[in-house]
Amino acid sequence: MAKYLYRSCSIISLVAAFSTIFAYEVHGWGDTAHRIICEIAFREANTAAQAEVKRLIRLDPEFSTFSDSCTWPDHPRKRASEHFVNLPRSATQLENYPCPLADKCLVTAVNADLAIIADSAGIDTNRLMALKFLGHWVGDVHQPLHVSFRDDRGGNSIKETGPCSGNLHSVWDGCILIRKLGRDIGSIATDLRGAVTPADRNQWNNTAPKMWANESFEIATSGAVEYCIKKDSECWYAADNRELDPNEARRVVVVDNAYMERQLPTVKTRLTHAGVRLGHLLNQALGGQHEKDPMARFNITNLATRIRKTGAIGFFTKLTLKNQIDDLLSEFQRFHTGSGDIELPVLNDHFNLLLMKVITLLQDDDPKLFQDIVSAREILWINLADPERFQRL
């Protein structure tokens, strides 16, 4: 009996060891990166989208936050063929077909699950599952080596030397991030999001998943990453071999501290792109942002007049809100003129807190105004945070 128990424990230990060794090989962005991306996205989401995300996540027996739920598709890996996009070695970008070598891939996965989430009449369990998948997919499509080549499995078959102790794919999944930024999800999300401008959001969100994949592929095949060898207008596995031969020696990339320092800005940019774009998708699907050109229809003066006239808020409460609104506008004025020391992320927190007070007062007795303000949240923030738009208010 003791011998049997010893053998069982040995087997369990061996399985655990192999699981640790191959953890990066099996998964996409590491859990830390996925949590950061989804934390940024949740903060980017407007009030209505946040409320619906929270409602759906409350139905989940395993997760209590959206950021944690985005790791779910990797544990164990689900819909394995949709975690990446494979291109031929001759490709320079995705052309007409989002999945050149398969029927499904990351690009189609994003669109499929977004449609499920956006169907408000759909079954909640299906929408919850799609929400967890969507958060993961948007992260993976922004990891450069998830848009790559089949024969080397996105860099899993390229060795690396240095502190990461894995392969080139694992370097990009999490090693650079963890060694250079750490694991404090909230702090990293705050820092990355704090550097985003309204102009950045407008530019990044005016794109589609296929373009995100092309951005990743361009990074992956750049000389700086050392993923492939440019030759004859193609990206070869090695200088003397177009595709990886299973019997040949694996290429080795030197990943030292200097390599990680060079790539850190790219890692930070891809995490930020993914978070902001995912937040925009959540607003589209859950936040009432369906107008083709909502900015053109937005009128802050009309909105303020409706708040003054609504019977859902008492007279003295309106006076209090007016003072708080005036204080917030003064903070934005000082921020735009450089006369204050307040930062944009702090202003965003003040803005969201005040907006929450207003919609809480309205939601039961003036549902139309409540919905209009919820839908205008993102547009209102853009008008306040952008210096030119702010001066025109």
Side-chain angles (χ1 to χ4, degrees), residues 3 20 42 53 98 100 118 128 145 168 194 216 243 260 278 359 369:
K3 185 182 293 185
T20 301
F42 185 77
V53 168
L128 170 62
L145 294 186
L168 190 62
S216 286
E243 295 186 3
M260 289 190 283
L278 176 57
I359 64 174
L369 182 55

Side-chain angles (χ1 to χ4, degrees), residues 17-38:
F18 272 97
S19 297
T20 301
I21 292 170
F22 292 108
Y24 279 125
E25 186 166 325
V26 173
H27 300 145
W29 275 118
D31 287 352
T32 300
H34 279 297
R35 288 188 176 105
I36 291 168
I37 290 166
C38 288

